[in-house]
Amino acid sequence: MGEDGGVTRPSPRPSSPLPTVLLSVLLLGTMLGALLAPTSTAAAPSSPRAGEERIDYVAMGDSYSAASGVLPVATDAPLQCLRSTRNYPAVIARVTGAVLTDVTCGGAQSKHYFSRFYPQTPPQLAALSARTDLVTMTIGGNNNGVFIGSIRDCAVAGLSAGYQGRPCTEQHQADYLRTVRTRTFPQLVKAFRAVRAAAPNATIAVLGYPWITPERGSCVGLPIAPGDFPFLHRLQRVLNDTIERATRRARDLTFVDFSRVSRGRDACAPVTRRWIEPVVGTTNPVVVHPNARGEAAMARHALDVLGLDDGVVITAPPLRR
C-alpha cells in the first residue's frame, strides 16, 4: 500500500503522578465504555431485489470493527467486547440488506480467530461456513501490543522528556517496526488463510486502519512529543503495509486502503472533520478509536471498493461535545 491510496485486490522519570494518570486514561480509555450522549450513523435500509437472496455476511475483527466507544453498545454481544450497534458492519448490513453475524470484539488479536478471547466468545472463525457470502475485518493492531504499547510508550517518553525532541522514536522505533514486520506479518497470513479456508465461497475484505496521527505536526489532543509524530505515523503505515502484504500472501482477499481517504481525518483534525478521537478533548469514551463518522466512512469506502454501494448515502450527524 502506497501513500497514493491504491487498492489491492485478492531519563529519570519525574516524581509527579501525571504519568500514572495519563497511562490510566490511555489504558482505561481503550478498554472501558461510559455513558455519553450517543452519536449515530444513518443509512437508508436496503432490501434484496426481487429474485435475489440475502447476503450471508460475517463481520470479524477488533475494536475498529466493533466501533468500541460508539454508543449504544450491542446488548447481544459480550459487554467486554464493547461492540456498537453503529459499527461499520452494521452500516454495511443495512445498506446491502445482508444478514449479519457480528463477532467483532474490542481488543481482539488474530489469535482470537482460533481461540476464545473471553469465556463467552467462541473463536471468530466458528462464525464462518461455506454458506458465507461476505466477510469483513480490521485486525492486527492489537497483535503483539503494537497499538496500545506504542501510544503508551510515546506518552510516557514525551512526558518524561518535557515534550522535547523525539524520545519515543529514539527508544522504541526499531523494536516496534521489527515486531510488525517479523511477528505480526506471519500471524496475519495464518489468520487470513484460515478465513479463506473456512469461507471458501465468500468475498473477503480486510480493512486497513484510518490514519490516527498526522504525518507531521502535533496537537494537544495527543500528549506526545512533537518529534515523535512522524514515528507513530510511520508505524501505522508499516502496519497497514504489512496487513496488505498478508492479504496478498493469503490470496484471494481484498485489501481496503484508507491511506488516501482518511488523510486529514486523524485525531488531530477539528472535531467536525476527524474520524479518530484524541485522548484530550475526546467526544468518545474510548480514545484513539473511530467515532461514528469514522465508522460510517469506513463502511462507505468498503462498499465502494467491493462494488456494493448502490448509491445509498451514508452519513453521521455532527459529533456532540
Side-chain angles (χ1 to χ4, degrees):
M1 173 189 68
E3 286 294 316
D4 61 355
V7 173
T8 300
R9 288 274 185 180
S11 84
R13 295 182 183 174
S15 59
S16 166
L18 279 177
T20 300
V21 173
L22 182 56
L23 286 177
S24 297
V25 170
L26 289 168
L27 294 171
L28 292 177
T30 303
M31 300 303 297
L32 301 177
L35 294 177
L36 295 182
T39 59
S40 65
T41 57
S46 178
S47 298
R49 297 175 179 88
E52 290 184 350
E53 295 183 359
R54 285 183 179 269
I55 298 171
D56 187 341
Y57 170 27
V58 177
M60 309 172 67
D62 59 21
S63 53
Y64 274 56
S65 298
S68 300
V70 179
L71 299 183
V73 174
T75 58
D76 59 347
L79 181 60
Q80 302 98 314
C81 288
L82 293 178
R83 186 186 306 153
S84 172
T85 62
R86 295 181 171 97
N87 60 359
Y88 74 72
V91 178
I92 290 174
R94 287 197 296 272
V95 170
T96 62
V99 177
L100 172 62
T101 301
D102 192 338
V103 295
T104 61
C105 191
Q109 303 177 38
S110 62
K111 67 181 180 181
H112 299 118
Y113 283 15
F114 307 92
S115 63
R116 294 179 180 270
F117 188 7
Y118 300 109
Q120 64 272 50
T121 58
Q124 293 191 17
L125 285 168
L128 303 174
S129 74
R131 297 186 302 274
T132 304
D133 301 307
L134 173 65
V135 182
T136 65
M137 69 190 83
T138 305
I139 196 73
N142 294 320
N143 282 37
N144 310 300
V146 167
F147 263 179
I148 185 61
S150 61
I151 296 294
R152 177 198 61 218
D153 289 345
C154 285
V156 171
L159 184 63
S160 298
Y163 302 105
Q164 301 296 314
R166 50 180 206 145
C168 189
T169 306
E170 295 168 354
Q171 296 171 30
H172 301 293
Q173 176 175 254
D175 287 341
Y176 275 111
L177 294 178
R178 185 184 308 113
T179 293
V180 171
R181 289 168 172 153
T182 64
R183 296 178 60 191
T184 301
F185 176 68
Q187 293 165 352
L188 292 177
V189 172
K190 177 183 177 180
F192 294 163
R193 286 175 171 170
V195 172
R196 170 49 72 201
N201 303 310
T203 294
I204 302 173
V206 182
L207 280 66
Y209 292 92
W211 290 122
I212 297 172
T213 66
E215 187 172 6
R216 293 178 181 83
S218 62
C219 64
V220 295
L222 295 176
I224 295 164
D228 285 326
F229 275 75
F231 156 55
L232 287 176
H233 192 86
R234 181 187 180 193
L235 177 61
Q236 187 180 351
R237 175 168 53 79
V238 169
L239 175 62
N240 278 330
D241 285 348
T242 298
I243 296 168
E244 183 187 16
R245 287 195 302 115
T247 64
R248 292 200 307 265
R249 181 69 63 87
R251 297 186 180 181
D252 198 23
L253 280 70
T254 297
F255 179 72
V256 181
D257 181 8
F258 287 91
S259 63
R260 176 185 295 171
V261 299
S262 70
R263 193 172 294 154
R265 302 284 188 169
D266 54 74
C268 287
V271 66
T272 56
R273 284 185 53 81
R274 69 188 183 222
W275 292 352
I276 307 298
E277 286 301 301
V279 175
V280 179
T282 182
T283 64
N284 270 23
V286 180
V287 299
V288 199
H289 278 70
N291 52 37
R293 183 183 296 107
E295 290 290 322
M298 293 176 77
R300 181 168 58 245
H301 190 50
L303 286 165
D304 182 60
V305 170
L306 294 172
L308 296 174
D309 188 352
D310 58 1
V312 175
V313 176
I314 306 169
T315 61
L319 294 174
R320 295 192 280 272
R321 296 190 68 93

